[in-house]
Amino acid sequence: QEPLVESGGGSVQAGGSLRLSCAGSVFTYSHNCIGWFRQAPGKERDWVAVIDSDGRTAYIDSVKGRFTISQDNAKNTVYLQMNNLKPEDSAMYYCAYGPSGGGWLRPGWYHYWGQGTQVTVSS
Protein backbone atom coordinates (compact mmCIF):
# COMPACT_ATOMS: atom_id res chain seq x y z
CA GLN A 1 0.00 0.00 0.00
CA GLU A 2 1.20 3.49 -0.84
CA PRO A 3 2.05 5.78 2.09
CA LEU A 4 -0.46 8.39 0.93
CA VAL A 5 -2.88 8.63 -1.99
CA GLU A 6 -5.18 11.54 -2.75
CA SER A 7 -8.41 11.38 -4.71
CA GLY A 8 -11.49 13.46 -5.37
CA GLY A 9 -10.15 16.31 -7.47
CA GLY A 10 -11.91 17.55 -10.56
CA SER A 11 -13.27 20.54 -12.41
CA VAL A 12 -16.12 22.61 -11.01
CA GLN A 13 -17.61 26.03 -11.49
CA ALA A 14 -17.14 28.79 -8.96
CA GLY A 15 -19.40 28.20 -5.99
CA GLY A 16 -19.24 24.45 -6.37
CA SER A 17 -17.92 21.83 -3.98
CA LEU A 18 -15.44 18.98 -3.97
CA ARG A 19 -14.35 16.53 -1.32
CA LEU A 20 -10.76 15.37 -1.41
CA SER A 21 -9.70 12.15 0.27
CA CYS A 22 -6.32 11.12 1.59
CA ALA A 23 -5.65 7.50 2.50
CA GLY A 24 -2.63 5.26 2.88
CA SER A 25 -0.42 3.12 5.03
CA VAL A 26 0.85 6.02 7.19
CA PHE A 27 -2.45 6.03 9.04
CA THR A 28 -1.25 3.05 11.01
CA TYR A 29 1.31 5.31 12.66
CA SER A 30 0.48 7.12 15.86
CA HIS A 31 1.11 10.68 16.97
CA ASN A 32 0.85 12.30 13.58
CA CYS A 33 -0.63 15.15 11.69
CA ILE A 34 -2.02 15.20 8.19
CA GLY A 35 -1.74 18.40 6.23
CA TRP A 36 -3.21 19.54 2.95
CA PHE A 37 -1.14 21.74 0.67
CA ARG A 38 -1.79 23.20 -2.75
CA GLN A 39 0.44 24.35 -5.54
CA ALA A 40 -0.56 26.35 -8.57
CA PRO A 41 1.68 26.45 -11.67
CA GLY A 42 4.69 28.67 -11.11
CA LYS A 43 3.92 29.17 -7.42
CA GLU A 44 5.17 27.73 -4.18
CA ARG A 45 3.47 24.88 -2.37
CA ASP A 46 1.23 26.51 0.24
CA TRP A 47 -0.19 25.00 3.39
CA VAL A 48 -4.02 24.89 3.44
CA ALA A 49 -5.17 22.91 6.47
CA VAL A 50 -4.01 20.40 9.05
CA ILE A 51 -5.52 17.90 11.45
CA ASP A 52 -3.64 16.11 14.21
CA SER A 53 -4.26 12.76 15.84
CA ASP A 54 -6.32 14.48 18.57
CA GLY A 55 -8.62 15.99 15.97
CA ARG A 56 -7.39 19.55 16.34
CA THR A 57 -7.57 21.52 13.11
CA ALA A 58 -6.19 24.70 11.61
CA TYR A 59 -6.73 26.51 8.30
CA ILE A 60 -5.18 29.19 6.22
CA ASP A 61 -7.30 32.35 6.46
CA SER A 62 -8.38 32.29 2.81
CA VAL A 63 -10.26 28.99 3.23
CA LYS A 64 -11.74 29.45 6.70
CA GLY A 65 -15.49 28.97 6.61
CA ARG A 66 -15.30 27.24 3.21
CA PHE A 67 -13.03 24.22 3.75
CA THR A 68 -13.33 21.57 6.44
CA ILE A 69 -10.69 18.96 7.26
CA SER A 70 -11.84 15.81 9.00
CA GLN A 71 -10.69 12.27 9.66
CA ASP A 72 -12.36 8.90 9.67
CA ASN A 73 -10.17 6.69 11.84
CA ALA A 74 -12.14 3.58 10.94
CA LYS A 75 -11.34 4.15 7.27
CA ASN A 76 -7.83 5.55 7.82
CA THR A 77 -8.81 8.51 5.69
CA VAL A 78 -8.60 12.26 5.99
CA TYR A 79 -10.98 14.43 4.02
CA LEU A 80 -10.91 18.01 2.82
CA GLN A 81 -14.42 19.22 2.13
CA MET A 82 -14.23 22.30 -0.09
CA ASN A 83 -17.33 24.44 -0.49
CA ASN A 84 -17.94 27.73 -2.28
CA LEU A 85 -14.88 27.14 -4.42
CA LYS A 86 -13.24 30.09 -6.12
CA PRO A 87 -11.02 30.23 -9.22
CA GLU A 88 -8.07 31.10 -6.96
CA ASP A 89 -8.49 27.71 -5.28
CA SER A 90 -7.39 26.03 -8.51
CA ALA A 91 -4.20 24.05 -7.88
CA MET A 92 -2.74 20.62 -7.41
CA TYR A 93 -3.68 19.51 -3.91
CA TYR A 94 -1.40 17.29 -1.87
CA CYS A 95 -1.82 15.58 1.46
CA ALA A 96 1.19 14.94 3.64
CA TYR A 97 2.01 13.03 6.81
CA GLY A 98 4.11 14.51 9.55
CA PRO A 99 4.85 14.05 13.25
CA SER A 100 2.83 15.79 15.92
CA GLY A 101 4.16 19.17 16.95
CA GLY A 102 4.16 22.76 15.74
CA GLY A 103 5.92 22.61 12.41
CA TRP A 104 2.91 21.78 10.27
CA LEU A 105 2.98 25.04 8.33
CA ARG A 106 6.23 24.05 6.61
CA PRO A 107 6.43 21.50 3.79
CA GLY A 108 9.75 20.32 5.22
CA TRP A 109 7.96 19.16 8.40
CA TYR A 110 6.28 16.32 6.55
CA HIS A 111 7.76 12.91 5.90
CA TYR A 112 5.43 11.49 3.27
CA TRP A 113 3.52 13.06 0.40
CA GLY A 114 0.86 11.85 -1.94
CA GLN A 115 1.04 12.30 -5.70
CA GLY A 116 -1.53 15.09 -5.75
CA THR A 117 -5.00 15.58 -7.16
CA GLN A 118 -5.91 18.44 -9.48
CA VAL A 119 -8.63 20.92 -8.59
CA THR A 120 -9.78 23.35 -11.27
CA VAL A 121 -12.40 26.00 -10.57
CA SER A 122 -13.80 27.97 -13.48
CA SER A 123 -15.46 31.36 -13.19
Side-chain angles (χ1 to χ4, degrees), residues 9-59:
S11 297
V12 297
Q13 291 189 328
S17 298
L18 287 171
R19 188 177 77 161
L20 306 184
S21 299
C22 174
S25 62
V26 296
F27 287 91
T28 62
Y29 307 159
S30 62
H31 305 293
N32 65 76
C33 67
I34 299 293
W36 283 98
F37 287 74
R38 63 187 180 188
Q39 187 169 21
K43 296 188 176 181
E44 294 186 349
R45 188 168 297 189
D46 292 329
W47 171 77
V48 175
V50 68
I51 188 167
D52 70 10
S53 54
D54 293 324
R56 291 172 295 193
T57 61
Y59 303 88

Side-chain angles (χ1 to χ4, degrees), residues 15-18 38 59-68 80-89 93 121:
S17 298
L18 287 171
R38 63 187 180 188
Y59 303 88
I60 192 171
D61 285 347
S62 61
V63 308
K64 285 181 180 178
R66 301 189 298 122
F67 290 13
T68 303
L80 185 67
Q81 177 68 45
M82 306 186 296
N83 298 328
N84 191 22
L85 282 161
K86 303 176 180 180
E88 52 264 40
D89 295 318
Y93 281 71
V121 184

